[in-house]
Amino acid sequence: DTPVLQIIQAGGTSTLSWDAITGATYYEIWSASDPYGTYTLAEANWTGTTWSETSAVMKFYKVIAKN
């Protein structure tokens, strides 16, 4: 499943948050500089529902629930 993301951008830091997905044991966080481009794995095996990254460029994100 793919959670619905809330993204807050402040001071060069992007903070992602989402509701927990039933049955998920961890999440993968992927990012790209182009929403239609290639996404790269930013974080594997993340067990929380909030994640932050500091970046000087605009990025697009997706989070994938895993079990």
Side-chain angles (χ1 to χ4, degrees):
D1 288 335
T2 302
V4 176
L5 291 180
Q6 177 183 14
I7 302 173
I8 297 172
Q9 177 74 28
T13 299
S14 296
T15 301
L16 287 61
S17 60
W18 58 92
D19 291 334
I21 298 295
T22 302
T25 56
Y26 68 96
Y27 301 89
E28 291 179 345
I29 301 158
W30 295 77
S31 67
S33 58
D34 179 338
Y36 304 106
T38 302
Y39 281 74
T40 57
L41 186 62
E43 187 77 51
N45 300 316
W46 188 257
T47 57
T49 56
T50 302
W51 181 85
S52 296
E53 174 181 62
T54 301
S55 177
V57 298
M58 183 169 72
K59 290 189 178 181
F60 298 86
Y61 295 95
K62 62 182 179 179
V63 174
I64 301 172
K66 300 291 214 171
N67 59 8

